[in-house]
């Protein structure tokens, strides 16, 4: 079977991998000229279905709990399994209780336990929630490596493709992200900063709850976040 996957974001290239390993002849058509510049390129890389369940439907948790295993099997060594730490400033402690009541898979941690998990946060937060089953990866690194692996498996990539002119496929899979937003998908706005802080080391994603401006920080190599 010849399959056309439209879009080379994380949805497209993971679908391409699953199809190719099941014996399909896969072509990925990406309208831009490079891998990146899409939502996947700007993602934090948190594999955090328990935290996401705070505002997402149950299937996000049911399907997402296998995500870390999937990436570990496909790209060994790229997933960090250190959980997620969720904290709030003392004045926003109610946010922690609200978050805890809407999620599962966590345990409450006090100030000492926060400091043991993340020594550089010692003395800053009195309470938190720890989600030990969660993980994270570097999306840009993971996408680049998965692209290379797919190319080695014989998956064809057509960058800068006008997919309206591509024919001869038995199936087409639409993974065009925001371009395909309809009643079943909704776009969520987020902004990303890359910080280099040589004096700070974090081992896992840290989410700071705030009534209006929720923030999270995801550690990368070389003291970048
Ligand atoms: C700032 C930010 C942080 C995030 N952090 C996280 C996180 O930590 N963890 C998490 O799980 N999720 C996170 N997300 C969400 C996650 O990034 C998205 O859910 C995911 O990347 C969507 O992937 P996608 O492949 O569907 O879309 P995209 O990555 O947008 O890929 C769609 C691709 O389709 C291409 N395309 C569009 N039209 C066509 C066409 N006609 N023909 C061919 N190609 C086309 C686009 O150019 C693009 O490359 C974050 C999102 C943002 C914005």
């Amino acid at each position: 079977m010849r399959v056309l996957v439209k879009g080379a974001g994380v949805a497209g290239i993971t679908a391409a991998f699953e199809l190719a390993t099941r014996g399909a002849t896969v072509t990925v058509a990406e309208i831009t000229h490079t891998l990146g510049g899409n939502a996947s390129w700007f993602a934090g890389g948190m594999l955090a279905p328990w935290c996401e369940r705070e505002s997402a439907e149950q299937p996000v948790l049911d399907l997402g709990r296998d995500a870390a295993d999937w990436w570990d099997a496909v790209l060994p060594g790229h997933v960090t399994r250190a959980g997620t730490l969720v904290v709030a400033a003392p004045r926003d402690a109610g946010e922690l209780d609200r978050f805890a009541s809407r999620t599962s898979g966590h345990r409450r941690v006090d100030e000492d336990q926060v400091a043991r998990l993340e020594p550089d946060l010692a003395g800053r937060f009195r309470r938190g929630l720890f989600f030990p089953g969660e993980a994270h990866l570097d999306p840009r690194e993971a996408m680049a490596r998965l692209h290379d692996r797919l190319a080695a498996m014989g998956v064809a990539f057509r960058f800068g493709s006008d997919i309206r002119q591509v024919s001869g496929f038995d199936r087409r899979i639409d993974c065009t992200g925001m371009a395909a937003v309809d009643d079943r998908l909704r776009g969520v706005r987020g902004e990303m900063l890359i910080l280099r802080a040589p004096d700070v080391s974090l081992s896992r994603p840290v989410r700071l709850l705030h009534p209006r401006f929720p923030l999270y920080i995801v550690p990368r190599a070389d003291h970048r976040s």
Side-chain angles (χ1 to χ4, degrees):
M1 178 184 290
R2 294 193 301 164
V3 182
L4 175 68
V5 175
K6 295 191 290 182
V10 70
I13 60 175
T14 55
F17 182 87
E18 288 295 323
L19 290 162
T21 52
R22 286 165 171 77
T25 302
V26 182
T27 297
V28 179
E30 166 57 47
I31 202 164
T32 68
H33 290 272
T34 55
L35 190 71
N38 45 28
S40 305
W41 202 250
F42 290 100
M46 295 183 292
L47 304 173
W50 285 271
C51 283
E52 292 300 325
R53 181 70 179 91
E54 185 247 349
S55 57
E57 297 81 10
Q58 184 64 26
V60 170
L61 174 55
D62 294 341
L63 298 170
R65 64 202 320 159
D66 294 332
D69 289 344
W70 191 92
W71 285 104
D72 235 357
V74 174
L75 295 178
H78 286 264
V79 176
T80 303
R81 295 171 179 265
T84 301
L85 179 61
V86 179
V87 293
R91 66 177 177 277
D92 297 325
E95 293 294 317
L96 268 182
D97 296 331
R98 191 188 58 78
F99 198 90
S101 72
R102 294 177 61 90
T103 55
S104 61
H106 54 73
R107 64 172 189 264
R108 288 183 182 271
V109 287
D110 62 18
E111 188 168 349
D112 289 344
Q113 291 164 320
V114 168
R116 273 200 291 280
L117 286 166
E118 295 293 352
D120 283 357
L121 298 184
R124 294 180 183 274
F125 300 101
R126 287 185 208 135
R127 293 199 292 138
L129 299 169
F130 181 51
F131 292 75
E134 297 193 334
H136 67 285
L137 49 64
D138 181 335
R140 298 181 184 188
E141 185 64 24
M143 287 177 66
R145 296 290 75 77
L146 185 53
H147 166 270
D148 294 349
R149 180 143 185 216
L150 288 168
M153 290 163 68
V155 171
F157 280 82
R158 294 191 190 177
F159 287 101
S161 285
D162 181 347
I163 48 124
R164 286 167 299 190
Q165 293 172 2
V166 177
S167 59
F169 291 90
D170 304 305
R171 292 277 188 279
R172 290 165 178 252
I173 314 280
D174 188 339
C175 295
T176 56
M178 282 298 291
V181 163
D182 59 16
D183 291 345
R184 291 161 299 157
L185 288 176
R186 73 186 162 94
V188 177
R189 182 167 175 264
E191 292 169 18
M192 179 209 229
L193 286 176
I194 298 177
L195 301 173
R196 186 158 190 281
D199 298 337
V200 180
S201 293
L202 295 174
S203 301
R204 55 184 57 74
V206 178
R207 291 180 180 235
L208 177 69
L209 302 182
H210 183 279
R212 280 186 299 149
F213 304 112
L215 285 173
Y216 53 80
I217 187 161
V218 186
R220 303 262 191 268
D222 192 25
H223 291 277
R224 284 179 305 120
S225 296

